[in-house]
Amino acid sequence: MNMKLEDLGWDGVFMAHFERFHEEGLAPGRIAREERDLYGVYWQGGEVMAEVSGKMRHDAGSRSDLPAVGDWVAMHVRPGEGRGTIHAVLPRKSSFSRKEAGVHTEEQIAAANIDTVFLVTGLDRDFNLRRIERYLTLVWDCGASPVIVLNKADLCADVAARVEQVEAIAFGVPIHAVSAVTGGGVEALRLRLSRGKTAALLGSSGVGKSTLINALLGAERQAVRDVRASDGRGRHTTTRRELILLPGGGALIDNPGMRELQMWTDEDGLSGTFADVEEIAAQCRFRNCKHQSEPGCAVRQAIAAGALDAGRLRGYQKLQRELRHLERKQSEKARLAEKAKWKKIAQQARKTNKYGTEARY
Ligand code: GDP
Ligand code: ZN
């Protein structure tokens, strides 16, 4: 089976990055799924199962240096075996990362090279402007363009009013009200999945992401899911691609990593979403104003005057608290790593001394 790299999202930027690998006789491919240490990779010749070269694994400073779904890689392909070896990951256009569950806060790439993110919210009781703000922050921070999808329009009495509320917090972001169940508005949304572009869905559990993907893909989805792929040993397994190729030439990423995505962001992203709050806060008398009871607080004045919604300030402060928490966890992790390093050095030094002493006898 032949594949057009352009349909997979290949462009001039990736091509330029790839040049030196081309000279080494490697082929470009895009990660479609990940299974333990094996990757399903789309390339010109269809799909191969590939592993990371020993050197690349050894040189990787952290997990984010290894391939993730959506990544473009340079690989050596053995077409006869349906196998390949990955030697490098091309620089990412955008990347979505999450902190690992539990105590670690090591960055882990959930998906890479996404152009458009459909931010899905339900127009039922789930509707929450603050949450939309937080997701917007995340998308901007990751280098992708957001499209806000207000799903379950069939359950909402006044869709226009909701759209207006969202417009007020999402300056210039496209907004689509749809119903994944009745299909209303889905066609217009489908037009945003364009050739050579990669989209992904982001939103809380239960907002209708799966239903929407099915509505967007129609019967395709099932067909995609049921494709049987052969692995190198000739065994046949039913596989589920996390990078789904669309009939029109675009791609959609739907994987557990994106579904579990948690806040992994920084101050830049925060400023993007709360530009209005920050602009007002710049006029507070004290630079470190917490906007609580400080004198000369421009933010509280703006709220009292009705120029700023109190909910915006709460959303801003909540996000700041979460960022502080994440920061503390990260510095705690760095402190422990430093401690472990010195412990090792001290042990090494003791060992050397001992041998040194023994050698003299
Ligand atoms: P996910 O967790 O985001 O993937 O959400 P699901 O796609 O599993 O949907 C959660 C529930 O919402 C299911 O019971 C769906 O049938 C329902 N649902 C999804 N989209 C719509 C919609 O547009 N209208 C209504 N009324 N229900 C929907
Ligand atoms: Zn203030």
Side-chain angles (χ1 to χ4, degrees):
M1 181 174 67
N2 278 343
M3 268 185 187
K4 270 218 197 89
L5 292 181
E6 287 73 22
D7 285 352
L8 288 172
W10 185 249
D11 64 14
V13 176
F14 291 124
M15 203 184 293
H17 286 308
F18 190 75
E19 209 160 317
R20 61 189 210 71
F21 299 112
H22 183 73
E23 284 158 15
E24 292 171 28
L26 300 180
R30 194 166 188 202
I31 307 287
R33 67 196 163 94
E34 191 180 345
E35 253 170 43
R36 295 216 176 86
D37 290 334
L38 214 53
Y39 296 90
V41 192
Y42 287 137
W43 73 300
Q44 244 160 6
E47 188 184 4
V48 288
M49 295 307 291
E51 49 202 358
V52 167
S53 77
K55 179 177 185 324
M56 187 180 168
R57 191 167 290 282
H58 178 263
D59 291 349
S62 76
R63 292 189 64 162
S64 58
D65 293 335
L66 293 173
V69 170
D71 262 331
W72 281 98
V73 296
M75 59 178 183
H76 173 73
V77 183
R78 303 184 295 282
E81 301 166 46
R83 288 279 179 163
T85 306
I86 298 168
H87 291 276
V89 175
L90 299 191
R92 296 169 175 130
K93 247 198 290 192
S94 69
S95 67
F96 281 76
S97 48
R98 63 192 167 108
K99 53 183 174 160
E100 289 221 281
V103 287
H104 304 286
T105 52
E106 191 190 14
E107 184 179 18
Q108 196 181 338
I109 309 290
N113 300 318
I114 292 172
D115 301 291
T116 312
V117 174
F118 292 164
L119 281 182
V120 190
T121 305
L123 278 174
D124 49 5
R125 268 175 306 174
D126 170 79
F127 185 79
N128 182 331
L129 286 169
R130 303 288 90 81
R131 194 186 299 141
I132 296 176
E133 280 167 349
R134 290 180 31 179
Y135 276 120
L136 276 175
T137 306
L138 192 65
V139 174
W140 274 321
D141 201 36
C142 292
S145 306
V147 169
I148 294 177
V149 180
L150 305 175
N151 189 32
K152 307 195 188 183
D154 56 298
L155 298 180
C156 180
D158 194 350
V159 174
R162 291 299 199 201
V163 170
E164 212 167 280
Q165 278 179 302
V166 176
E167 265 165 359
I169 60 149
F171 317 101
V173 177
I175 303 170
H176 286 252
V178 306
S179 169
V181 164
T182 68
V186 172
E187 204 45 53
L189 194 59
R190 200 200 312 268
L191 294 177
R192 294 203 175 267
L193 300 167
S194 40
R195 174 171 229 102
K197 296 285 181 205
T198 305
L201 278 73
L202 203 58
S204 311
S205 171
V207 295
K209 294 183 296 297
S210 313
T211 316
L212 197 55
I213 289 175
N214 284 331
L216 283 167
L217 301 186
E220 286 303 318
R221 173 67 167 175
Q222 211 48 48
V224 167
R225 193 183 279 163
D226 292 344
V227 167
R228 282 170 170 269
S230 130
D231 70 12
R233 292 178 295 271
R235 245 187 321 120
H236 284 79
T237 39
T238 303
T239 55
R240 185 177 180 286
R241 280 153 191 76
E242 299 178 355
L243 182 109
I244 304 156
L245 298 181
L246 304 167
L252 192 64
I253 290 183
D254 176 29
N255 70 349
M258 282 303 281
R259 291 195 169 234
E260 288 161 22
L261 196 75
Q262 288 181 43
M263 191 68 76
W264 184 276
T265 179
D266 60 24
E267 305 278 351
D268 293 345
L270 185 68
S271 306
T273 328
F274 291 100
D276 54 342
V277 180
E278 301 226 305
E279 206 170 293
I280 298 170
Q283 280 144 43
C284 292
R285 187 179 304 162
F286 301 110
R287 268 200 64 193
N288 59 350
C289 184
K290 298 256 192 308
H291 323 303
Q292 277 155 3
S293 53
E294 294 91 337
C297 175
V299 173
R300 297 222 71 88
Q301 275 165 23
I303 290 171
L308 180 70
D309 176 26
R312 294 258 325 138
L313 176 60
R314 279 197 299 276
Y316 176 73
Q317 288 173 326
K318 181 156 177 275
L319 189 54
Q320 271 187 323
R321 277 197 301 277
E322 283 169 358
L323 289 171
R324 298 282 164 277
H325 178 69
L326 193 61
E327 243 167 49
R328 272 197 305 277
K329 274 181 87 170
Q330 275 174 286
S331 54
E332 173 66 6
K333 197 194 167 202
R335 194 183 63 78
L336 290 175
E338 189 74 0
K339 201 172 143 190
K341 191 176 97 189
W342 283 106
K343 195 170 159 192
K344 208 167 155 190
I345 291 172
Q347 277 170 349
Q348 217 99 48
R350 267 201 301 278
K351 233 190 246 169
T352 318
N353 271 347
K354 202 167 95 193
Y355 291 145
T357 317
E358 278 166 3
R360 264 187 237 121
Y361 288 111

